Structure formats: C-alpha cells, structure tokens
Amino acid sequence: MPRPSAPDVSAARAVIEAQAGTAHVAGRSETDLTMAGHAEPIEVRAYQGDASWAGYPIINGRWYSGTTEAVAGSRMLNLTGTEVGDTIALTTGDGPKRVTIVGEVFSNGSDGVIVMDMAGLPGAVPDGFEVGLAAGTDHAAYLASLRSALTAALPDGGADAQLSAETQENEVITVMIGLIAVLTLLLTTVAGLGVVNTVMLTTRERVHEIGVLKSVGMTPCQVRVLVVSSVVLVGAVGGSMAVPLGIALHGWALPVMASSAGLVLPSPVLDVYPLWTVVALGAGGILLAVLAALVPAGWAARSRPSAALRAE
C-alpha cells in the first residue's frame, strides 16, 4: 500500500491505476475521532471511491452508500452499545458529523473501527491506497513492478508499496487457528492411541486363532492384512459419526472463541465444509484406524506359531 505525501496523491494514484494487474484502487485515510456518549476515541477509516471490495465481510446490514452512512466493526458496536440502524455523532474539525450505521462488518484490527466515505469528512485526503489485484496476478511480481514505477514517478521517495493482505489485522485469527491446530493434533493423537490400544487387545485375544492360521500356511503379510482389515469398519463408523459431530462443534466453538475477543464471525468463516471435504474427513476415520492398526498388525505377523498355539 503506497503512502505518498499529500502533494503526490494524484500522481501516485495514476501510477497505481496504470499498473498491469490493478483491478481496484481506493484512497484511504485513518483518523481517531470522538463519538458522542463514548469516552475513548474511535478509529475511522475513510475511503475515497468504492471500497466494498476491500475486505470487510458484511455480517449484518449492508455496505454504506453516501456520506451520511457508515459501517462498523463488531468490537465498536459492542464497546459503544451501538446497533445497526443507529445514528451517531462524530466530532470532527468542522463540528459534529452525524452518520448512520447501516452495516456490521468483520474487522479485528482495533478496539473500535468505523468505515465510511472520505467525502463525509471535510478536509480529509488519502494518506495511502488500498489496491485490489486482478485474478491470477502474481503478488510478488506486482509489488516489485509497482515499487519501480513509484520510484520513477516520485523520485523524492514519497511513496512505497507493501504487501499486507497476508498479515494485516490477523493477530486474533492467527491465535484462533493455532489453538484449533493444537486441539486437532491432540484429538488425533488420542484417537490414534485409542485405536492402537483396542486393536492390540483384540489381537492378543485372537493370538491362538492367528497361530492356527499361520500353522496352516498364512503368511506374515496376510496376517497384517487380516488385522488391519478388522478395523476398517470401525474406522468407517467412527468417521461417519465424528464428522457431523465435529461440524456441529465447529459451528458452536468458533463463535464462542470470537465472542471472547469481541468479534462476530461472518458466514464465509463458518461455512467451510463443502461436500468433498465432508467425504474426505469421513474417509480420514478409516485412514486413522488403518495407520493405528499397523503396530499390532506387525506384532501379530512376527509372532511364532508355536508360541501362539500355546497361548490361551
């Protein structure tokens, strides 16, 4: 995102719009304003031009239209007790500015943020630009090319370009994903150990039967297949039961985790299970059972028929 000095705003925008791969450009200005009835300052992000593409998923309501409307992040609404449809008063350099909150958006970058049209803030000018790239554009190549173009057009160093899509405002999301990954690893480990324990006990109970089969010519490879195949049905049943329960847990746990951080998650964050993913997760139960059965299967294949036949 280029951050030019004020005199170079128009030149910087022209360079960005001329860059191959640019799909959207919107000037952005950030400032802290006081809201009537709330002691702490509110961060206001004002955009010059259409910014509905800039990465604020709508949770409730709609995107703003005109200079008297705005959208607000969930934290801002929670902290100030504001609801979609309310009209608030912001204190600007030219006096109070009344705007109506017409939508709730997902934004986790600050304690409270309002997004509105820059034309609604007298005297506001862009101090940076949000840039949306066309589909298939290489981010790194675009960034390098834009930096060269900005340096050539603005040799005084008043503008730079930064790739922020992967890092901007992701602290809370990163923590949530890390926690979910740790829980998934722990649950997978416990499930695998449970299968190993069950199959090991079952195999030891069948040691005499395995000894008889090996004495009549069953090979170690066939013994492994016998033990592993005995858990396929268990894995299939477990997977078919665990997947819907896991989806239900996901739908309950993520909103609770987000709520603890003062956030409301949009539907794209929650609706992440297409049919092929559900089928793959169900098949994962079979895979987990098969992998866990390899250890007892190896033990059964290595056991001597004579020792097995003496066992009861």
Side-chain angles (χ1 to χ4, degrees), residues 3-80:
R3 292 192 173 277
S5 57
D8 299 322
V9 168
S10 298
R13 184 175 190 122
V15 171
I16 297 171
E17 291 176 340
Q19 186 73 17
T22 300
H24 306 282
V25 181
R28 188 181 79 171
S29 175
E30 294 186 359
T31 185
D32 290 338
L33 298 178
T34 302
M35 171 183 161
H38 186 66
E40 298 297 325
I42 300 295
E43 179 182 341
V44 177
R45 296 178 189 171
Y47 284 91
Q48 185 184 57
D50 177 35
S52 57
W53 53 269
Y56 298 94
I58 298 291
I59 298 171
N60 184 23
R62 60 177 175 83
W63 191 252
Y64 65 82
S65 175
T67 60
T68 60
E69 295 182 349
V71 295
S74 302
R75 285 181 176 172
M76 180 271 174
L77 298 179
N78 292 332
L79 289 171
T80 62

Side-chain angles (χ1 to χ4, degrees), residues 138-292:
D138 182 83
H139 290 190
Y142 179 91
L143 185 65
S145 177
L146 179 58
R147 280 176 173 168
S148 298
L150 288 172
T151 300
L154 305 169
D156 60 352
D160 188 19
Q162 298 176 1
L163 182 62
S164 60
E166 287 82 7
T167 59
Q168 188 177 37
E169 299 185 353
N170 281 337
E171 294 84 359
V172 175
I173 300 300
T174 300
V175 172
M176 292 174 63
I177 292 176
L179 179 59
I180 292 170
V182 171
L183 291 176
T184 300
L185 178 61
L186 291 176
L187 290 173
T188 303
T189 302
V190 171
L193 291 176
V195 174
V196 170
N197 181 64
T198 301
V199 178
M200 183 64 76
L201 292 175
T202 303
T203 304
R204 287 186 175 276
E205 291 175 354
R206 298 176 60 189
V207 65
H208 189 274
E209 174 189 344
I210 293 173
V212 172
L213 294 174
K214 296 184 75 171
S215 66
V216 296
M218 179 174 278
T219 65
C221 182
Q222 291 172 327
V223 172
R224 289 189 176 91
V225 173
L226 173 68
V227 175
V228 171
S229 62
S230 67
V231 302
V232 171
L233 180 60
V234 176
V237 173
S240 63
M241 294 176 61
V243 169
L245 290 175
I247 293 176
L249 179 61
H250 168 269
W252 171 81
L254 280 188
V256 171
M257 294 169 64
S259 178
S260 66
L263 300 175
V264 177
L265 297 178
S267 57
V269 176
L270 299 175
D271 301 334
V272 294
Y273 292 105
L275 179 60
W276 68 268
T277 303
V278 174
V279 174
L281 290 173
I286 300 176
L287 178 62
L288 179 61
V290 169
L291 292 176

Side-chain angles (χ1 to χ4, degrees), residues 65-110:
S65 175
T67 60
T68 60
E69 295 182 349
V71 295
S74 302
R75 285 181 176 172
M76 180 271 174
L77 298 179
N78 292 332
L79 289 171
T80 62
T82 307
E83 297 181 352
V84 173
D86 291 349
T87 298
I88 63 174
L90 299 174
T91 302
T92 69
D94 289 349
K97 169 68 179 179
R98 299 182 66 84
V99 294
T100 301
I101 304 298
V102 297
E104 177 182 2
V105 296
F106 178 70
S107 177
N108 62 323
S110 65

